[in-house]
Amino acid sequence: MAPIAVGDSLPDGSLSYFDAEDKLQQVSIHSLAAGKQVILFGVPGAFTPTCSLKHVPGFIEKAAEFKSKGINEIICISGNFLLLNIVF
């Protein structure tokens, strides 16, 4: 599979997460990104020191800049199955 480049369409797939009531939910990548400009990035593990201190903060700090460039959502996926949607 070729790497995904800026402007490419995302291949579809399903992501699983636990909702606020601790019930397992599934959502498709296409439904998350439908009609939006999104940044989708992954980290090896949620709440690990490196991810929490090095990877995620940069996206939060630049959220306003991304929004000014037309990005609607920033979505983080972790290797241990956390789906984090940075809302701004």
Side-chain angles (χ1 to χ4, degrees):
M1 175 181 271
I4 299 170
V6 173
D8 284 355
S9 293
L10 292 173
D12 201 13
S14 293
L15 300 172
S16 299
Y17 67 97
F18 287 98
D19 65 15
E21 287 88 40
D22 237 6
K23 293 182 182 174
L24 186 63
Q25 302 291 325
Q26 286 195 326
V27 63
S28 77
I29 293 172
H30 279 181
S31 70
L32 285 174
K36 303 176 213 165
Q37 295 292 318
V38 300
I39 294 173
L40 176 66
F41 73 102
V43 296
F47 308 112
T48 62
T50 301
C51 294
S52 295
L53 299 173
K54 301 279 186 190
H55 300 143
V56 176
F59 285 95
I60 294 170
E61 290 167 8
K62 292 187 178 264
E65 179 183 339
F66 293 139
K67 185 176 181 180
S68 75
K69 294 181 179 185
I71 299 298
N72 303 106
E73 291 189 66
I74 303 168
I75 301 168
C76 175
I77 302 169
S78 76
N80 58 354
F81 308 111
L82 173 74
L83 176 62
L84 171 66
N85 186 358
I86 300 171
V87 179
F88 49 89

